[in-house]
Amino acid sequence: MTKKLLGVGIVTLDIINHVEHYPAEDEALRATRSRRARGGNAANTLAVLGGVLGVKTCLVSTLAPGPDANFVLHDLHACHVDTSHCRMYPGCSLPTSYITLNDANGSRTIVHWRDLPELTAATDVVSHIDLDDYDWVHFEGRNVEQTTIMMAWIHAYNEKHINKRPPIKISLEVERAKLVNYESLLVYADVVFFSKEFAESRECSSALELLELMRLKNEKRSALICGWGEKGACALDEADNVFNCPAFEPVKVVDTIGAGDTFVAGVIHAMRSGKPLDKALRFGCRLAGAKCGIEGFRIEH
Ligand code: ADP
């Protein structure tokens, strides 16, 4: 049986207002268009893996029941993402990202709101999922304490099955500037994706500077990768070889929402298919560039 990819993270409702220019503070501006979409880093990455790249995926996330959850679940199912391990919390609402999308340059500004509990290892993952069915688990870097427990559990499974099957690969996305005490997440991941936002919050002015800084905290010598918007991406392999890849600019940048999530999906898919890191980096950049040229995620590649 083909093994599946498990994704652990969040799914949100995105409310996207298109504007002709980014508003100044206190300005009243009419949106030219408003639309709703499924969002959330892990959910977007899995939707690209499932809907565009044909990978069998399963998402573990928390949700709040209601029309918003029905909307995002319908969308995930259309991308062949299994959501049967998601947990519903009645009485809450679905996390919502209010996104201002500047049609002049495709840039997006996000205000995020949530009152939904985060995933807990004991109730949401550890006891429910048969890892025999999986060959890769991707984690969104949030909720550090619980996520570390979940990663340690995958690691323990690998130790237990050391001569019986290839180890499950673990990838991690570290995106948010505010994430603190994230070092414990670097202990288990085979592949770590960092964002430009995270790099700049650590006072790094290039992707490579951030990766070299992160290497000092990464005894496992994971593959370390950092996207840098329209400048492309950089990676360090376990022997500290450096790979750079320029961005693949589309004819017109239409929508950069989820460019990073698409990049992550592309790199994971290529690595999971046995491609070396430099080729995987290139595939991720190409896929993300194509995504920037269209609205949403129906990417032709
Ligand atoms: P995020 O969505 O997390 O802000 P980035 O902006 O760093 O992610 O973009 C991730 C990847 O998407 C980049 O490495 C690049 O390959 C691609 N990308 C982002 N913006 C553009 C763009 N304007 N043109 C082409 N590719 C882009």
Side-chain angles (χ1 to χ4, degrees):
M1 195 192 78
T2 320
K3 301 263 189 232
K4 297 188 282 185
L5 182 145
L6 188 69
V8 183
I10 67 166
V11 53
T12 66
L13 175 68
D14 285 358
I15 296 178
I16 303 159
N17 288 321
H18 290 248
V19 293
E20 284 171 346
H21 66 265
Y22 190 75
E25 185 162 350
D26 213 24
E27 179 180 348
L29 179 67
R30 179 175 287 205
T32 53
R33 195 151 65 91
S34 186
R35 61 187 167 96
R36 285 150 41 97
R38 167 223 75 235
N41 292 129
N44 283 344
T45 294
L46 263 63
V48 173
L49 281 162
V52 178
L53 301 169
V55 176
K56 283 191 173 177
T57 64
C58 175
L59 177 70
V60 184
S61 190
T62 55
L63 286 165
D68 292 345
N70 295 344
F71 173 78
V72 297
L73 286 172
H74 181 267
D75 188 275
L76 286 166
H77 297 158
C79 296
H80 315 292
V81 178
D82 173 2
T83 60
S84 57
H85 290 294
C86 288
R87 175 148 184 229
M88 289 287 179
Y89 280 90
C92 299
S93 39
L94 197 71
T96 305
S97 291
Y98 298 90
I99 303 180
T100 304
L101 182 64
N102 183 350
D103 279 338
N105 59 13
S107 90
R108 84 290 182 276
T109 305
I110 305 173
V111 177
H112 185 65
W113 180 83
R114 68 178 286 135
D115 71 351
L116 187 67
E118 296 277 356
L119 285 167
T120 54
T123 46
D124 294 314
V125 181
V126 175
S127 52
H128 290 180
I129 295 179
D130 182 359
L131 286 176
D132 291 351
D133 297 341
Y134 296 89
D135 62 7
W136 194 295
V137 184
H138 176 66
F139 288 93
E140 208 174 305
R142 54 187 299 120
N143 186 20
V144 169
E145 190 190 321
Q146 292 297 314
T147 302
T148 305
I149 295 170
M150 294 185 240
M151 290 175 114
W153 182 61
I154 311 286
H155 177 74
Y157 173 94
N158 281 341
E159 298 275 290
K160 196 169 157 206
H161 294 80
I162 199 148
N163 290 318
K164 299 186 192 125
R165 53 158 294 178
I168 297 174
K169 293 277 184 202
I170 301 177
S171 58
L172 166 75
E173 184 187 13
V174 175
E175 189 197 41
R176 302 201 191 314
K178 288 213 177 100
L179 194 71
V180 290
N181 301 326
Y182 56 88
E183 287 82 356
S184 61
L185 300 174
L186 304 182
V187 171
Y188 300 110
D190 299 287
V191 185
V192 189
F193 297 91
F194 298 97
S195 70
K196 182 178 171 193
E197 173 190 325
F198 182 82
E200 288 179 337
S201 73
R202 269 64 185 177
E203 289 172 6
C204 293
S205 55
S206 73
L208 182 57
E209 194 181 339
L210 187 270
L211 296 182
E212 284 173 342
L213 181 66
M214 290 300 115
R215 179 61 89 215
L216 303 176
K217 302 170 187 285
N218 172 237
E219 268 179 42
K220 186 172 165 66
R221 305 203 68 77
S222 324
L224 302 179
I225 302 171
C226 183
W228 208 267
E230 66 284 349
K231 292 232 171 85
C234 181
L236 273 190
D237 71 6
E238 74 286 350
D240 281 344
N241 295 305
V242 180
F243 303 107
N244 284 293
C245 184
F248 289 73
E249 286 279 339
V251 177
K252 181 177 189 313
V253 176
V254 172
D255 171 14
T256 59
I257 299 168
D261 304 328
T262 304
F263 170 71
V264 168
V267 174
I268 289 176
H269 176 59
M271 292 187 87
R272 194 166 168 265
S273 312
K275 299 269 190 308
L277 185 57
D278 58 331
K279 295 247 167 25
L281 194 67
R282 193 174 167 81
F283 183 72
C285 283
R286 247 211 345 249
L287 197 70
K291 188 265 143 316
C292 293
I294 60 160
E295 184 174 298
F297 295 89
R298 291 217 174 93
I299 308 160
E300 307 268 344
H301 71 100

